[in-house]
Structure formats: structure tokens, C-alpha cells
Amino acid sequence: MPFAKVRGVNIFYQVIGDHGPWVALITGGRRGHDEFVPLATKLANAGYRVVLHDRRNTGRSDVLIEGDTAEEILWLDDLHELLKQLNAVPTFIGGSSAGARTAMRYYVRFPNDTRGLLLMRVTGGAFAAARLPENYYGMFIKAAQQGGMAAVCATEQYQERIVANPATRDRLMAMNPQDYIKVMSNWQDQFIASTKMEVFGMTDADLASIKVPAVVIPGNDQTHASVNGKLAASKIPGAVLHMLPIQDQEVPLINYTEWAPYENEIADTFLSLMRKAGASKAA
């Protein structure tokens, strides 16, 4: 599985499948792409080529804490450049949670390079707006304020990334803590601004502008309550809403891996949309 040099960052990726239309799937949070390998394999077995990657600052890819652009915008720009390097555009773009946000914002930025949207566990609501900024940024800002970059490196999330890519520790330890705090605080402010929207990161006008086939599979926890997915589907013209046989639970987070029993249904739902999109284009 190779690395690609993308906009100055080493991005770890893999392609599953060797023929057919291109699909890119984006995981949520700051997790690497491994949890999507089983789903990608199902899509590949049905005749699609699936690109999975660790976004910058996740998994085995480089950690680079710099720049004024919102982190999720950096992610979609990186993905677009990676897909161009692979000659993999236009592409069906999909993901879960942060991956779904990135996929929708990818369409807004690159509509002509997007064949369709495959969205799971859409994020919205007061609970997620209160929880996620701290999980993504706040706790690490506090660590840097209290103990410098050594304290940042000692956090559980960064320990995972350091194990996956040992060079991450050297890069972080070389940073001035104040520079780290400045960038992370800016990213946090921009993320908080995105949570003011009913569907995080997307205005109603953005959602109404989507002109490619889209399917939404809502989540079932407090961060990804089903109401958020239903709302997104209602605001995307022609979107397909697919409800899994699950109930909302009063827990902060259900990991995507716990959806393994429904992965065949998820794959079939995505394949149905992509096949119809292909037939429509052929017509």
C-alpha cells in the first residue's frame, strides 16, 4: 500500500478493485481508513475501484498542523489532488460522520468531478455541536497550554498516530507550542462556525445545490442521530433516504465497526444508487 505526495503531505492510501467506476470513501473522526476495507471490498467485488486513504493528521499519513484553511477543507482538497494523481475523477464520494461532511463539501467545491454522494451518519444538532469541538481540538489545545508539545504527544489520539507513523513525534516536538495552539484554535473556531448549520458544514443553499444522485443512511447515536440524516436527505434534491433496521440510542457514539452486521445492506444500497447513476449517464 503506497504513499502519495499530496500538497506537501505524504498521504497513505490504497485502491481496492482493479476495474470499473471510481469510488472514494472517507472515514470519520481522526481514524485511519482500515475500518472501511470490508465495505470497499464488497463494492470492488461488484465492479468498482475504491480509493481509501488516511487523511492528513490521521492514521499513517503525515501530521501537519499549519495553515489558515479549515481542516476539513484541507481534507477535501487533498482528496481531490490524490484522485487526480490516480486518474480517478469523476468519482462517487462517500463517507461516515466527518467523512460525510467532507464528501458533501467536496461536491460544493468540485461538482463537476463528483458522480454521486454516499452518505452515512450525518452530523448535526446541539449534542454534537457541544461534543465535537472539544474532541477534535479543545483537549489538545489545553494539553499544549499545560505541558507543551510533549503533553500533546502523550495524548491517546496522538500516541496512536505516532505508533502508526513514528516521524509524527519528531515533527510535533519541533513545533513551537504557541504555533500549535494558534492553528488548532483557528481550526476549532472554523469548526464551531460549521456547527451553526443544521447539517454541519452545509448551508441550505449548499444542500439544495447538489445535482448528483445521493443516498443518506442515518446514524443512531447522539452525535449522529437519525433526525440529522433525515434532515439532510430532505434538503438534498432527489436524495434517497435509507433507514437501517436500527434504533437511536442515548449514547454519545456508536463506532462504525459496530455496524458490521449491516454492511451487506449498506453495500447493496450504495451499489443500487451507483448503478442507477451509471445507467442514467449511459442513457
Side-chain angles (χ1 to χ4, degrees), residues 101-163:
R101 292 195 301 274
T102 303
M104 289 186 285
R105 296 172 89 169
Y106 182 102
Y107 171 84
V108 172
R109 205 166 180 89
F110 307 111
N112 294 332
D113 289 337
T114 308
R115 295 189 64 179
L117 294 174
L118 313 170
L119 308 173
M120 292 183 286
R121 296 153 58 87
V122 172
T123 322
F127 183 90
R131 174 178 178 267
L132 294 181
E134 175 68 14
N135 278 16
Y136 289 166
Y137 303 107
M139 69 172 69
F140 306 112
I141 293 168
K142 291 171 187 172
Q145 290 170 334
Q146 295 168 5
M149 297 312 296
V152 173
C153 290
T155 61
E156 182 179 355
Q157 287 192 41
Y158 276 103
Q159 281 293 299
E160 292 175 358
R161 288 168 228 158
I162 289 167
V163 169

Short mmCIF file of all heavy atoms in Angstrom, two decimals, residues 101-163:
data_model
loop_
_atom_site.label_atom_id
_atom_site.label_comp_id
_atom_site.label_asym_id
_atom_site.label_seq_id
_atom_site.Cartn_x
_atom_site.Cartn_y
_atom_site.Cartn_z
N ARG A 101 -19.44 14.75 6.00
CA ARG A 101 -19.30 16.20 5.86
C ARG A 101 -18.30 16.54 4.77
O ARG A 101 -18.53 17.43 3.93
CB ARG A 101 -18.82 16.82 7.18
CG ARG A 101 -19.82 16.76 8.31
CD ARG A 101 -19.44 17.68 9.44
NE ARG A 101 -18.14 17.42 10.02
CZ ARG A 101 -17.91 16.54 10.99
NH1 ARG A 101 -18.90 15.82 11.47
NH2 ARG A 101 -16.70 16.39 11.49
N THR A 102 -17.16 15.84 4.77
CA THR A 102 -16.14 16.11 3.77
C THR A 102 -16.66 15.80 2.38
O THR A 102 -16.39 16.53 1.42
CB THR A 102 -14.87 15.30 4.08
OG1 THR A 102 -14.43 15.63 5.41
CG2 THR A 102 -13.75 15.62 3.11
N ALA A 103 -17.43 14.72 2.24
CA ALA A 103 -17.97 14.35 0.94
C ALA A 103 -18.93 15.42 0.41
O ALA A 103 -18.87 15.80 -0.76
CB ALA A 103 -18.68 13.00 1.02
N MET A 104 -19.82 15.90 1.27
CA MET A 104 -20.76 16.93 0.83
C MET A 104 -20.04 18.22 0.45
O MET A 104 -20.36 18.86 -0.57
CB MET A 104 -21.80 17.20 1.92
CG MET A 104 -22.80 16.07 2.12
SD MET A 104 -24.12 16.47 3.31
CE MET A 104 -23.22 16.34 4.87
N ARG A 105 -19.06 18.60 1.25
CA ARG A 105 -18.31 19.83 0.96
C ARG A 105 -17.42 19.64 -0.28
O ARG A 105 -17.16 20.60 -1.00
CB ARG A 105 -17.49 20.24 2.18
CG ARG A 105 -18.38 20.60 3.37
CD ARG A 105 -17.62 20.82 4.65
NE ARG A 105 -17.21 22.22 4.78
CZ ARG A 105 -16.71 22.71 5.90
NH1 ARG A 105 -16.56 21.94 6.98
NH2 ARG A 105 -16.35 23.98 5.96
N TYR A 106 -16.99 18.42 -0.51
CA TYR A 106 -16.25 18.11 -1.74
C TYR A 106 -17.11 18.43 -2.95
O TYR A 106 -16.64 19.03 -3.92
CB TYR A 106 -15.84 16.64 -1.72
CG TYR A 106 -15.01 16.17 -2.90
CD1 TYR A 106 -13.64 16.01 -2.78
CD2 TYR A 106 -15.60 15.86 -4.13
CE1 TYR A 106 -12.87 15.56 -3.86
CE2 TYR A 106 -14.85 15.43 -5.21
CZ TYR A 106 -13.48 15.27 -5.06
OH TYR A 106 -12.73 14.84 -6.13
N TYR A 107 -18.38 18.01 -2.90
CA TYR A 107 -19.26 18.31 -4.03
C TYR A 107 -19.37 19.81 -4.26
O TYR A 107 -19.31 20.27 -5.40
CB TYR A 107 -20.67 17.73 -3.81
CG TYR A 107 -21.61 18.22 -4.89
CD1 TYR A 107 -21.68 17.57 -6.12
CD2 TYR A 107 -22.37 19.38 -4.71
CE1 TYR A 107 -22.49 18.05 -7.13
CE2 TYR A 107 -23.17 19.87 -5.73
CZ TYR A 107 -23.22 19.20 -6.93
OH TYR A 107 -23.99 19.70 -7.94
N VAL A 108 -19.55 20.58 -3.19
CA VAL A 108 -19.69 22.02 -3.34
C VAL A 108 -18.47 22.62 -4.02
O VAL A 108 -18.58 23.52 -4.85
CB VAL A 108 -19.93 22.68 -1.96
CG1 VAL A 108 -19.91 24.20 -2.07
CG2 VAL A 108 -21.27 22.21 -1.37
N ARG A 109 -17.30 22.10 -3.71
CA ARG A 109 -16.05 22.62 -4.26
C ARG A 109 -15.75 22.06 -5.65
O ARG A 109 -15.22 22.75 -6.51
CB ARG A 109 -14.90 22.29 -3.30
CG ARG A 109 -13.70 23.23 -3.38
CD ARG A 109 -12.85 22.97 -2.14
NE ARG A 109 -11.68 23.78 -2.05
CZ ARG A 109 -11.61 24.98 -1.47
NH1 ARG A 109 -12.72 25.52 -0.99
NH2 ARG A 109 -10.48 25.65 -1.37
N PHE A 110 -16.11 20.79 -5.86
CA PHE A 110 -15.76 20.13 -7.13
C PHE A 110 -16.97 19.41 -7.73
O PHE A 110 -16.96 18.19 -7.91
CB PHE A 110 -14.62 19.12 -6.89
CG PHE A 110 -13.41 19.69 -6.22
CD1 PHE A 110 -13.08 19.32 -4.92
CD2 PHE A 110 -12.59 20.61 -6.87
CE1 PHE A 110 -11.96 19.85 -4.30
CE2 PHE A 110 -11.47 21.14 -6.27
CZ PHE A 110 -11.15 20.77 -4.97
N PRO A 111 -18.03 20.13 -8.04
CA PRO A 111 -19.25 19.47 -8.51
C PRO A 111 -19.05 18.68 -9.80
O PRO A 111 -19.66 17.62 -9.99
CB PRO A 111 -20.24 20.62 -8.70
CG PRO A 111 -19.38 21.85 -8.87
CD PRO A 111 -18.18 21.60 -8.00
N ASN A 112 -18.20 19.18 -10.70
CA ASN A 112 -18.02 18.50 -11.99
C ASN A 112 -17.20 17.23 -11.87
O ASN A 112 -17.18 16.41 -12.81
CB ASN A 112 -17.35 19.45 -12.99
CG ASN A 112 -18.23 20.62 -13.36
OD1 ASN A 112 -19.45 20.53 -13.32
ND2 ASN A 112 -17.62 21.75 -13.70
N ASP A 113 -16.53 17.03 -10.73
CA ASP A 113 -15.73 15.83 -10.53
C ASP A 113 -16.41 14.83 -9.60
O ASP A 113 -15.79 13.86 -9.16
CB ASP A 113 -14.35 16.20 -9.95
CG ASP A 113 -13.47 16.91 -10.98
OD1 ASP A 113 -13.72 16.72 -12.18
OD2 ASP A 113 -12.55 17.63 -10.58
N THR A 114 -17.68 15.08 -9.29
CA THR A 114 -18.43 14.23 -8.36
C THR A 114 -19.57 13.54 -9.11
O THR A 114 -20.44 14.20 -9.69
CB THR A 114 -19.02 15.06 -7.21
OG1 THR A 114 -17.98 15.85 -6.61
CG2 THR A 114 -19.65 14.16 -6.16
N ARG A 115 -19.58 12.19 -9.09
CA ARG A 115 -20.63 11.43 -9.78
C ARG A 115 -21.84 11.17 -8.89
O ARG A 115 -22.95 10.97 -9.38
CB ARG A 115 -20.08 10.10 -10.28
CG ARG A 115 -19.00 10.23 -11.34
CD ARG A 115 -18.65 8.89 -11.96
NE ARG A 115 -19.79 8.32 -12.68
CZ ARG A 115 -19.75 7.16 -13.33
NH1 ARG A 115 -18.63 6.43 -13.32
NH2 ARG A 115 -20.81 6.71 -13.96
N GLY A 116 -21.61 11.12 -7.59
CA GLY A 116 -22.70 10.85 -6.66
C GLY A 116 -22.17 10.92 -5.24
O GLY A 116 -20.95 10.93 -5.02
N LEU A 117 -23.08 10.96 -4.26
CA LEU A 117 -22.71 11.06 -2.86
C LEU A 117 -23.28 9.87 -2.09
O LEU A 117 -24.48 9.55 -2.22
CB LEU A 117 -23.24 12.36 -2.26
CG LEU A 117 -22.62 13.65 -2.81
CD1 LEU A 117 -23.34 14.87 -2.24
CD2 LEU A 117 -21.13 13.71 -2.49
N LEU A 118 -22.45 9.25 -1.28
CA LEU A 118 -22.80 8.07 -0.48
C LEU A 118 -22.59 8.44 0.99
O LEU A 118 -21.47 8.38 1.49
CB LEU A 118 -21.92 6.88 -0.87
CG LEU A 118 -21.75 6.63 -2.38
CD1 LEU A 118 -20.67 5.58 -2.63
CD2 LEU A 118 -23.08 6.20 -3.01
N LEU A 119 -23.63 8.84 1.68
CA LEU A 119 -23.50 9.50 2.97
C LEU A 119 -24.04 8.64 4.10
O LEU A 119 -25.17 8.13 4.03
CB LEU A 119 -24.25 10.83 2.94
CG LEU A 119 -23.90 11.76 1.77
CD1 LEU A 119 -24.81 12.97 1.76
CD2 LEU A 119 -22.43 12.18 1.83
N MET A 120 -23.25 8.51 5.16
CA MET A 120 -23.66 7.76 6.35
C MET A 120 -23.44 8.61 7.60
O MET A 120 -22.48 9.38 7.67
CB MET A 120 -22.84 6.48 6.50
CG MET A 120 -23.07 5.43 5.45
SD MET A 120 -22.11 3.91 5.79
CE MET A 120 -20.46 4.44 5.35
N ARG A 121 -24.34 8.45 8.57
CA ARG A 121 -24.13 9.00 9.90
C ARG A 121 -23.89 10.53 9.84
O ARG A 121 -22.89 11.04 10.35
CB ARG A 121 -22.96 8.29 10.57
CG ARG A 121 -23.24 6.81 10.80
CD ARG A 121 -21.98 5.95 10.82
NE ARG A 121 -21.03 6.36 11.83
CZ ARG A 121 -21.03 5.94 13.10
NH1 ARG A 121 -21.94 5.06 13.48
NH2 ARG A 121 -20.12 6.35 13.95
N VAL A 122 -24.81 11.22 9.21
CA VAL A 122 -24.70 12.68 9.07
C VAL A 122 -24.73 13.33 10.46
O VAL A 122 -25.48 12.92 11.34
CB VAL A 122 -25.84 13.22 8.19
CG1 VAL A 122 -25.86 14.74 8.20
CG2 VAL A 122 -25.68 12.68 6.76
N THR A 123 -23.92 14.37 10.63
CA THR A 123 -23.75 15.02 11.92
C THR A 123 -24.54 16.32 12.01
O THR A 123 -24.57 17.10 11.06
CB THR A 123 -22.26 15.37 12.15
OG1 THR A 123 -21.45 14.33 11.64
CG2 THR A 123 -21.97 15.55 13.62
N GLY A 124 -25.18 16.54 13.15
CA GLY A 124 -25.90 17.79 13.39
C GLY A 124 -26.42 17.81 14.81
O GLY A 124 -26.31 16.83 15.55
N GLY A 125 -27.00 18.95 15.19
CA GLY A 125 -27.65 19.03 16.49
C GLY A 125 -26.77 19.54 17.61
O GLY A 125 -25.55 19.60 17.51
N ALA A 126 -27.44 19.89 18.71
CA ALA A 126 -26.76 20.54 19.84
C ALA A 126 -25.76 19.61 20.53
O ALA A 126 -24.69 20.06 20.98
CB ALA A 126 -27.81 21.02 20.85
N PHE A 127 -26.09 18.33 20.63
CA PHE A 127 -25.17 17.42 21.33
C PHE A 127 -23.83 17.35 20.62
O PHE A 127 -22.78 17.49 21.23
CB PHE A 127 -25.80 16.02 21.44
CG PHE A 127 -24.94 15.05 22.22
CD1 PHE A 127 -25.10 14.93 23.59
CD2 PHE A 127 -23.96 14.28 21.59
CE1 PHE A 127 -24.29 14.05 24.32
CE2 PHE A 127 -23.16 13.41 22.31
CZ PHE A 127 -23.34 13.29 23.67
N ALA A 128 -23.87 17.13 19.31
CA ALA A 128 -22.62 17.05 18.54
C ALA A 128 -21.89 18.38 18.54
O ALA A 128 -20.65 18.43 18.61
CB ALA A 128 -22.91 16.61 17.11
N ALA A 129 -22.64 19.49 18.48
CA ALA A 129 -22.02 20.81 18.47
C ALA A 129 -21.27 21.07 19.76
O ALA A 129 -20.25 21.79 19.77
CB ALA A 129 -23.07 21.89 18.25
N ALA A 130 -21.74 20.51 20.87
CA ALA A 130 -21.05 20.67 22.15
C ALA A 130 -19.89 19.71 22.30
O ALA A 130 -18.87 20.04 22.92
CB ALA A 130 -22.05 20.49 23.29
N ARG A 131 -20.02 18.50 21.75
CA ARG A 131 -19.03 17.45 21.97
C ARG A 131 -17.82 17.51 21.04
O ARG A 131 -16.67 17.37 21.46
CB ARG A 131 -19.73 16.09 21.83
CG ARG A 131 -18.82 14.88 21.89
CD ARG A 131 -19.60 13.58 21.79
NE ARG A 131 -18.71 12.44 21.82
CZ ARG A 131 -18.23 11.85 20.72
NH1 ARG A 131 -18.57 12.31 19.51
NH2 ARG A 131 -17.42 10.82 20.81
N LEU A 132 -18.07 17.72 19.75
CA LEU A 132 -17.00 17.51 18.77
C LEU A 132 -15.88 18.55 18.81
O LEU A 132 -14.71 18.17 18.65
CB LEU A 132 -17.61 17.42 17.37
CG LEU A 132 -18.49 16.19 17.12
CD1 LEU A 132 -19.02 16.20 15.69
CD2 LEU A 132 -17.74 14.89 17.41
N PRO A 133 -16.16 19.84 19.00
CA PRO A 133 -15.03 20.78 19.03
C PRO A 133 -14.01 20.45 20.11
O PRO A 133 -12.80 20.60 19.90
CB PRO A 133 -15.71 22.13 19.29
CG PRO A 133 -17.09 21.97 18.74
CD PRO A 133 -17.46 20.54 19.05
N GLU A 134 -14.47 20.00 21.25
CA GLU A 134 -13.55 19.61 22.31
C GLU A 134 -12.77 18.36 21.92
O GLU A 134 -11.55 18.27 22.14
CB GLU A 134 -14.33 19.36 23.61
CG GLU A 134 -13.50 18.84 24.77
CD GLU A 134 -12.50 19.85 25.31
OE1 GLU A 134 -12.59 21.04 24.98
OE2 GLU A 134 -11.61 19.43 26.08
N ASN A 135 -13.46 17.38 21.34
CA ASN A 135 -12.79 16.13 20.96
C ASN A 135 -11.76 16.33 19.86
O ASN A 135 -10.72 15.68 19.84
CB ASN A 135 -13.83 15.11 20.49
CG ASN A 135 -14.50 14.39 21.65
OD1 ASN A 135 -14.42 14.86 22.78
ND2 ASN A 135 -15.18 13.30 21.38
N TYR A 136 -12.07 17.21 18.92
CA TYR A 136 -11.18 17.42 17.78
C TYR A 136 -10.04 18.38 18.10
O TYR A 136 -8.93 18.23 17.57
CB TYR A 136 -11.96 18.00 16.59
CG TYR A 136 -12.91 17.05 15.92
CD1 TYR A 136 -13.87 17.54 15.03
CD2 TYR A 136 -12.88 15.68 16.14
CE1 TYR A 136 -14.75 16.69 14.38
CE2 TYR A 136 -13.76 14.83 15.50
CZ TYR A 136 -14.70 15.33 14.63
OH TYR A 136 -15.58 14.50 13.99
N TYR A 137 -10.34 19.41 18.92
CA TYR A 137 -9.37 20.49 19.09
C TYR A 137 -9.14 20.89 20.55
O TYR A 137 -8.00 21.05 20.99
CB TYR A 137 -9.82 21.73 18.29
CG TYR A 137 -10.02 21.43 16.83
CD1 TYR A 137 -11.29 21.36 16.27
CD2 TYR A 137 -8.93 21.19 16.00
CE1 TYR A 137 -11.47 21.06 14.92
CE2 TYR A 137 -9.10 20.90 14.65
CZ TYR A 137 -10.37 20.83 14.13
OH TYR A 137 -10.53 20.53 12.81
N GLY A 138 -10.22 21.10 21.30
CA GLY A 138 -10.09 21.68 22.62
C GLY A 138 -9.14 20.94 23.55
O GLY A 138 -8.30 21.56 24.23
N MET A 139 -9.26 19.62 23.61
CA MET A 139 -8.43 18.86 24.54
C MET A 139 -6.94 18.97 24.20
O MET A 139 -6.09 18.97 25.10
CB MET A 139 -8.86 17.38 24.57
CG MET A 139 -8.59 16.61 23.30
SD MET A 139 -8.91 14.83 23.50
CE MET A 139 -10.67 14.81 23.66
N PHE A 140 -6.63 19.10 22.93
CA PHE A 140 -5.23 19.18 22.51
C PHE A 140 -4.67 20.59 22.73
O PHE A 140 -3.49 20.75 23.05
CB PHE A 140 -5.10 18.74 21.07
CG PHE A 140 -5.70 17.39 20.82
CD1 PHE A 140 -6.83 17.25 20.03
CD2 PHE A 140 -5.17 16.26 21.42
CE1 PHE A 140 -7.40 16.02 19.83
CE2 PHE A 140 -5.75 15.01 21.23
CZ PHE A 140 -6.87 14.89 20.43
N ILE A 141 -5.52 21.60 22.56
CA ILE A 141 -5.11 22.96 22.88
C ILE A 141 -4.77 23.05 24.37
O ILE A 141 -3.73 23.62 24.75
CB ILE A 141 -6.23 23.95 22.51
CG1 ILE A 141 -6.42 24.00 20.99
CG2 ILE A 141 -5.93 25.34 23.06
CD1 ILE A 141 -7.68 24.72 20.55
N LYS A 142 -5.61 22.48 25.21
CA LYS A 142 -5.35 22.50 26.65
C LYS A 142 -4.07 21.75 27.00
O LYS A 142 -3.29 22.19 27.85
CB LYS A 142 -6.54 21.89 27.40
CG LYS A 142 -7.80 22.73 27.33
CD LYS A 142 -8.99 21.98 27.90
CE LYS A 142 -10.28 22.75 27.69
NZ LYS A 142 -11.49 21.95 28.05
N ALA A 143 -3.84 20.62 26.34
CA ALA A 143 -2.61 19.87 26.59
C ALA A 143 -1.39 20.71 26.26
O ALA A 143 -0.40 20.74 27.03
CB ALA A 143 -2.60 18.57 25.78
N ALA A 144 -1.43 21.40 25.12
CA ALA A 144 -0.29 22.24 24.72
C ALA A 144 -0.10 23.40 25.68
O ALA A 144 1.04 23.78 26.00
CB ALA A 144 -0.50 22.75 23.30
N GLN A 145 -1.20 23.98 26.16
CA GLN A 145 -1.11 25.09 27.10
C GLN A 145 -0.52 24.64 28.43
O GLN A 145 0.25 25.38 29.06
CB GLN A 145 -2.50 25.69 27.33
CG GLN A 145 -3.06 26.43 26.14
CD GLN A 145 -4.52 26.79 26.30
OE1 GLN A 145 -5.27 26.12 27.03
NE2 GLN A 145 -4.97 27.84 25.60
N GLN A 146 -0.83 23.44 28.85
CA GLN A 146 -0.42 22.97 30.16
C GLN A 146 0.94 22.28 30.17
O GLN A 146 1.69 22.38 31.15
CB GLN A 146 -1.48 22.01 30.72
CG GLN A 146 -2.82 22.69 30.98
CD GLN A 146 -3.95 21.72 31.25
OE1 GLN A 146 -3.72 20.50 31.34
NE2 GLN A 146 -5.16 22.24 31.39
N GLY A 147 1.28 21.60 29.04
CA GLY A 147 2.52 20.83 29.07
C GLY A 147 3.33 20.86 27.80
O GLY A 147 4.22 20.03 27.62
N GLY A 148 3.00 21.79 26.90
CA GLY A 148 3.77 21.90 25.66
C GLY A 148 3.53 20.72 24.74
O GLY A 148 2.59 19.93 24.91
N MET A 149 4.42 20.57 23.76
CA MET A 149 4.22 19.55 22.74
C MET A 149 4.42 18.14 23.29
O MET A 149 3.85 17.18 22.76
CB MET A 149 5.14 19.80 21.55
CG MET A 149 4.86 21.12 20.83
SD MET A 149 3.10 21.40 20.46
CE MET A 149 2.77 20.05 19.34
N ALA A 150 5.18 17.99 24.35
CA ALA A 150 5.33 16.67 24.96
C ALA A 150 3.98 16.18 25.48
O ALA A 150 3.64 14.99 25.36
CB ALA A 150 6.36 16.70 26.08
N ALA A 151 3.19 17.09 26.05
CA ALA A 151 1.88 16.72 26.56
C ALA A 151 0.93 16.38 25.41
O ALA A 151 0.10 15.46 25.52
CB ALA A 151 1.30 17.85 27.41
N VAL A 152 1.04 17.10 24.30
CA VAL A 152 0.23 16.78 23.12
C VAL A 152 0.56 15.38 22.63
O VAL A 152 -0.34 14.56 22.37
CB VAL A 152 0.45 17.81 22.00
CG1 VAL A 152 -0.26 17.38 20.71
CG2 VAL A 152 -0.03 19.19 22.43
N CYS A 153 1.85 15.09 22.52
CA CYS A 153 2.27 13.77 22.03
C CYS A 153 1.84 12.64 22.97
O CYS A 153 1.69 11.51 22.52
CB CYS A 153 3.79 13.74 21.85
SG CYS A 153 4.40 14.75 20.48
N ALA A 154 1.64 12.97 24.23
CA ALA A 154 1.28 11.94 25.22
C ALA A 154 -0.21 11.60 25.20
O ALA A 154 -0.62 10.61 25.81
CB ALA A 154 1.69 12.38 26.62
N THR A 155 -1.03 12.40 24.50
CA THR A 155 -2.46 12.10 24.47
C THR A 155 -2.71 10.81 23.69
O THR A 155 -1.93 10.43 22.82
CB THR A 155 -3.26 13.25 23.81
OG1 THR A 155 -2.80 13.42 22.46
CG2 THR A 155 -3.09 14.55 24.58
N GLU A 156 -3.81 10.16 24.02
CA GLU A 156 -4.10 8.86 23.43
C GLU A 156 -4.19 8.93 21.91
O GLU A 156 -3.64 8.08 21.20
CB GLU A 156 -5.41 8.31 24.00
CG GLU A 156 -5.79 6.93 23.47
CD GLU A 156 -7.07 6.40 24.07
OE1 GLU A 156 -7.64 7.06 24.98
OE2 GLU A 156 -7.53 5.32 23.62
N GLN A 157 -4.87 9.96 21.38
CA GLN A 157 -5.03 10.04 19.93
C GLN A 157 -3.69 10.22 19.22
O GLN A 157 -3.43 9.59 18.19
CB GLN A 157 -5.99 11.18 19.57
CG GLN A 157 -7.44 10.87 19.88
CD GLN A 157 -8.38 11.89 19.25
OE1 GLN A 157 -8.19 12.30 18.13
NE2 GLN A 157 -9.40 12.29 20.00
N TYR A 158 -2.85 11.10 19.77
CA TYR A 158 -1.56 11.30 19.12
C TYR A 158 -0.64 10.10 19.32
O TYR A 158 0.19 9.81 18.44
CB TYR A 158 -0.89 12.58 19.61
CG TYR A 158 -1.38 13.82 18.87
CD1 TYR A 158 -2.29 14.68 19.47
CD2 TYR A 158 -0.95 14.11 17.58
CE1 TYR A 158 -2.75 15.81 18.80
CE2 TYR A 158 -1.40 15.23 16.90
CZ TYR A 158 -2.30 16.07 17.52
OH TYR A 158 -2.75 17.18 16.84
N GLN A 159 -0.79 9.41 20.42
CA GLN A 159 0.01 8.19 20.60
C GLN A 159 -0.32 7.17 19.50
O GLN A 159 0.57 6.50 18.98
CB GLN A 159 -0.25 7.58 21.98
CG GLN A 159 0.50 8.26 23.11
CD GLN A 159 2.00 8.04 23.00
OE1 GLN A 159 2.48 6.90 23.05
NE2 GLN A 159 2.75 9.12 22.84
N GLU A 160 -1.59 7.06 19.15
CA GLU A 160 -1.98 6.16 18.06
C GLU A 160 -1.31 6.56 16.75
O GLU A 160 -0.83 5.72 16.00
CB GLU A 160 -3.50 6.16 17.90
CG GLU A 160 -4.25 5.53 19.07
CD GLU A 160 -5.75 5.66 18.92
OE1 GLU A 160 -6.20 6.27 17.92
OE2 GLU A 160 -6.48 5.16 19.80
N ARG A 161 -1.29 7.87 16.47
CA ARG A 161 -0.69 8.32 15.22
C ARG A 161 0.82 8.17 15.22
O ARG A 161 1.43 7.90 14.18
CB ARG A 161 -1.09 9.78 14.96
CG ARG A 161 -2.55 9.91 14.57
CD ARG A 161 -3.02 11.35 14.59
NE ARG A 161 -4.30 11.39 15.33
CZ ARG A 161 -4.80 12.47 15.89
NH1 ARG A 161 -4.15 13.61 15.83
NH2 ARG A 161 -5.94 12.41 16.53
N ILE A 162 1.42 8.33 16.38
CA ILE A 162 2.88 8.17 16.48
C ILE A 162 3.27 6.71 16.26
O ILE A 162 4.26 6.42 15.60
CB ILE A 162 3.37 8.70 17.84
CG1 ILE A 162 3.27 10.24 17.85
CG2 ILE A 162 4.80 8.24 18.13
CD1 ILE A 162 3.43 10.86 19.22
N VAL A 163 2.49 5.80 16.81
CA VAL A 163 2.75 4.38 16.57
C VAL A 163 2.62 4.07 15.08
O VAL A 163 3.43 3.33 14.50
CB VAL A 163 1.79 3.50 17.40
CG1 VAL A 163 1.87 2.04 16.97
CG2 VAL A 163 2.12 3.62 18.88
#
